[in-house]
Amino acid sequence: HATLGRITSVLLLAHAAGYATFWSLDRRLLSELTHWNRRGVNNAAGVVGLTVLAVAICGLSHPLVRRLRYEVFYRAHILGYLGFAAFGAMHWAYFAYYLAPPIVLWSSDVARRMIASSQLIDVDATAHGSTLVRLCIRYDAARVALLPGLHVVVSVCIPAVTPWQWHTFSVVPSPRGLEAWIRARGDWTNQLLAHAGGPVKARLSGLSAYGWPVRGSRVLLIAGGTGVAALVGPLSTPSTTLLWVVRHCEDISILESAPADAKLVLHYTGRDNLSDVEIALARCSVAVPTVLDSRRLNVVRAVLMSSLVGMLLGATAALLLAGDDWPSWQIGFVRLLFLSSGSFFAATFCALLIVRRDKKLSPIKATEFNPVVGELPPADSPSPWTSMSVQAGRPNFAEQISLSATENDTPLTVLASGPTGLVADVRAACYEANRERRSRGSLAIDFQAISFDMSEL
């Protein structure tokens, strides 16, 4: 999404710069940019649309705004796109047809989210320590089971905290359900911590699973704090090492249900004794394999086809309605309005039918999974990890990556998840290691990452 947005912005800016240069040489730049043409191309509307694109969409997408003022970024992104689309269609009447594919996808996604979030469900909120919250979503409530080895994310809205805010978290499939581990750092997360201690009402949306692009035969996972939740899936990959930087002892609970066929190197930077960390690690258990319920795809196909049919009907209505004496900017705006309205109306109508007639996916039967995990294993239980070591202090990422890369001459994939500072350090270490390996003619290290800012929520 971000890459396509950057390419589109660059091409549109080049388009504007080229015409501006041509009009400047022809000494009619001011008249072209300020005159509101009734026939043909309306360049004044194009200037407004390009300004909205540059300021609301591109400018407010800068990481400084997106991380520190996420709500400003999100609202400006949605409203900016609507303004850009409207003035773009008034600039050139046929521009509405270029917007048809994203409108179909957007309306289908809105309808799918409407279906997913149509009911309030009970989510178990449990406090671990003074700053960590676990949200546990039962499989029958989520109406889905997922294959192991995937990075699973879910969007959650908790009306008791705020009725209109949605936040997305990585979740860990476990015998209890889908578990999201959340650090209380901002207003929303601290209010969630205050409500922990039992079931809370929540709406779910955007439950998705992604596979990490593992290209090497060996995998080095580097995580910071709760960022390890995004890397639980690749733990089942053979020849995997998890390097985990932990500041809070209660974070060890995240790996209670992680597959433990991997080598674990834990660097503890907190104030507790290392013996407490080792005891917590020994209490980790092994997750159950789950299955994929593919029937959810039928709902996606239904809303997608409905959105496409609605758009075609809207386009036909716009062609029949627009008269020959209409201004071109008005024709473009009507085309966009009818295309988007038809698409959204059809997708929403399909979603309402599915919800009304209860055609949603039937709940996953509890018998398909192992019983709910009760008490954890005793502290003297043998560790489930293939190899485990606990060290004090922050690791030397460059040294660890170089050591993993030189163990044998096979491809290495480095997957990092955590705060932006940690991911930046790992990226720099991989870059230096690759530069040295290229000079020796060795295979390069493949680096992938997902980062977050602890101050966002």
Side-chain angles (χ1 to χ4, degrees):
H1 169 79
T3 301
L4 291 175
R6 293 187 184 101
I7 293 174
T8 301
S9 302
V10 170
L11 292 177
L12 289 175
L13 289 173
H15 165 79
Y19 273 98
T21 303
F22 172 74
W23 292 330
S24 298
L25 295 176
D26 204 25
R27 297 183 179 181
R28 54 190 179 97
L29 175 63
L30 186 61
S31 61
E32 287 287 347
L33 297 182
T34 57
H35 182 62
W36 192 271
N37 291 335
R38 292 180 55 86
R39 297 293 180 182
V41 178
N42 189 325
N43 293 316
V47 170
V48 177
L50 191 65
T51 304
V52 171
L53 170 70
V55 176
I57 299 180
C58 298
L60 295 181
S61 298
H62 192 276
L64 290 178
V65 180
R66 190 176 69 250
R67 292 173 182 161
L68 299 180
R69 296 291 183 270
Y70 181 81
E71 294 180 8
V72 174
F73 151 75
Y74 182 77
R75 294 173 184 175
H77 216 63
I78 300 299
L79 295 177
Y81 175 78
L82 295 176
F84 166 72
F87 283 100
M90 288 188 287
H91 166 65
W92 184 46
Y94 291 96
F95 185 64
Y97 298 131
Y98 284 82
L99 296 175
I103 289 175
V104 168
L105 295 177
W106 191 8
S107 57
S108 301
D109 183 64
V110 170
R112 183 187 61 85
R113 290 174 181 269
M114 180 185 300
I115 297 171
S117 61
S118 59
Q119 293 180 346
L120 281 172
I121 64 171
D122 288 328
V123 176
D124 295 326
T126 307
H128 288 250
S130 59
T131 62
L132 188 64
V133 182
R134 183 190 71 193
L135 289 181
C136 183
I137 308 164
R138 297 189 306 274
Y139 289 107
D140 57 346
R143 299 175 179 265
V144 71
L146 297 159
L147 288 172
L150 299 177
H151 172 211
V152 185
V153 297
V154 63
S155 296
V156 181
C157 173
I158 301 180
V161 179
T162 49
W164 52 271
Q165 283 192 13
W166 290 80
H167 296 287
T168 303
F169 302 101
S170 298
V171 294
V172 182
S174 76
R176 288 180 286 257
L178 300 175
E179 297 180 343
W181 297 85
I182 305 165
R183 177 76 61 203
R185 288 297 180 92
D187 294 337
W188 191 89
T189 50
N190 275 299
Q191 292 182 50
L192 176 62
L193 179 62
H195 286 82
V200 295
K201 296 293 184 179
R203 300 183 187 275
L204 302 182
S205 178
L207 181 64
S208 306
Y210 307 92
W212 281 93
V214 177
R215 299 184 178 91
S217 58
R218 294 178 300 116
V219 182
L220 174 62
L221 310 176
I222 301 179
T226 56
V228 74
L231 300 179
V232 168
L235 278 176
S236 58
T237 305
S239 303
T240 299
T241 300
L242 172 61
L243 177 62
W244 190 17
V245 183
V246 177
R247 181 178 298 175
H248 305 275
C249 187
E250 58 265 22
D251 290 3
I252 305 298
S253 304
I254 301 175
L255 293 184
E256 285 178 2
S257 301
D261 299 329
K263 176 182 177 182
L264 173 65
V265 180
L266 188 142
H267 284 260
Y268 182 64
T269 60
R271 299 180 179 179
D272 294 330
N273 295 325
L274 289 182
S275 58
D276 296 334
V277 179
E278 293 173 349
I279 291 175
L281 280 172
R283 294 161 65 87
C284 293
S285 58
V286 181
V288 295
T290 59
V291 297
L292 178 66
D293 190 346
S294 61
R295 291 172 296 171
R296 180 176 293 268
L297 296 177
N298 295 332
V299 175
V300 177
R301 295 191 186 102
V303 296
L304 187 61
M305 291 303 299
S306 300
S307 175
L308 182 59
V309 171
M311 172 164 286
L312 294 176
L313 293 176
T316 303
L319 291 174
L320 296 175
L321 180 64
D324 296 335
D325 57 337
W326 284 24
S328 57
W329 67 267
Q330 191 173 353
I331 294 176
F333 183 78
V334 169
R335 284 177 181 172
L336 177 64
L337 181 63
F338 274 65
L339 262 66
S340 56
S341 299
S343 178
F344 275 92
F345 176 79
T348 304
F349 183 73
C350 177
L352 291 175
L353 286 180
I354 293 176
V355 173
R356 184 178 179 84
R357 300 179 185 180
D358 198 24
K359 290 184 178 180
K360 296 168 62 175
L361 299 180
S362 58
I364 300 297
K365 297 179 181 179
T367 55
E368 297 181 16
F369 304 95
N370 285 0
V372 175
V373 176
E375 294 295 329
L376 293 175
D380 56 353
S381 299
S383 172
W385 300 95
T386 304
S387 175
M388 181 182 70
S389 66
V390 180
Q391 304 176 23
R394 187 177 175 87
N396 186 326
F397 294 121
E399 180 180 336
Q400 293 285 349
I401 292 172
S402 178
L403 180 63
S404 299
T406 55
E407 285 182 357
N408 52 59
D409 196 19
T410 57
L412 173 67
T413 298
V414 176
L415 307 180
S417 174
T420 52
L422 180 143
V423 172
D425 292 343
V426 175
R427 181 184 290 109
C430 289
Y431 176 80
E432 291 297 329
N434 274 335
R435 190 169 62 175
E436 295 178 2
R437 291 173 68 82
R438 289 193 186 97
S439 63
R440 301 194 306 265
S442 302
L443 295 173
I445 299 171
D446 182 51
F447 172 75
Q448 302 290 335
I450 179 172
S451 63
F452 56 87
D453 194 319
M454 299 299 292
S455 64
E456 288 183 6
L457 307 179

